[in-house]
Amino acid sequence: MGGRTLRKQVPLYLDEDQVEGLEQLASSTGETKQALLRRAVDVLLKDWEWVRKRSGAGNLHTLRKKSKS
């Protein structure tokens, strides 16, 4: 096999404004859209982990309450 890394794929549907914003951000930063999306997912997962550790429960209700405020 070539040097290709196999990764799981997740379908992601964005509206036109999100796609345009992502393209502009990728263009201005020099990063790929995929790299930016992976970084955004990392931020969300770290935030969820912080909330889960802090609450001791690890349920999504705690994360929803935190993100709405």
Side-chain angles (χ1 to χ4, degrees):
M1 302 218 139
R4 189 169 180 177
T5 303
L6 298 177
R7 295 182 182 202
K8 290 189 175 191
Q9 295 183 359
V10 177
L12 177 65
Y13 301 96
L14 302 173
D15 62 32
E16 290 181 28
D17 290 340
Q18 291 171 318
V19 172
E20 185 179 324
L22 185 59
E23 288 172 348
Q24 289 176 6
L25 183 60
S27 178
S28 68
T29 63
E31 292 189 62
T32 64
K33 293 178 280 189
Q34 294 83 356
L36 290 168
L37 290 169
R38 285 187 197 103
R39 188 158 36 126
V41 169
D42 285 344
V43 168
L44 288 170
L45 293 174
K46 286 177 185 173
D47 186 49
W48 177 76
E49 183 66 21
W50 178 83
V51 170
R52 189 177 68 82
K53 285 180 181 176
R54 188 165 181 230
S55 71
N59 62 42
L60 291 177
H61 297 290
T62 308
L63 180 59
R64 279 192 218 116
K65 287 179 187 173
K66 179 183 177 286
S67 61
K68 286 184 179 178
S69 54

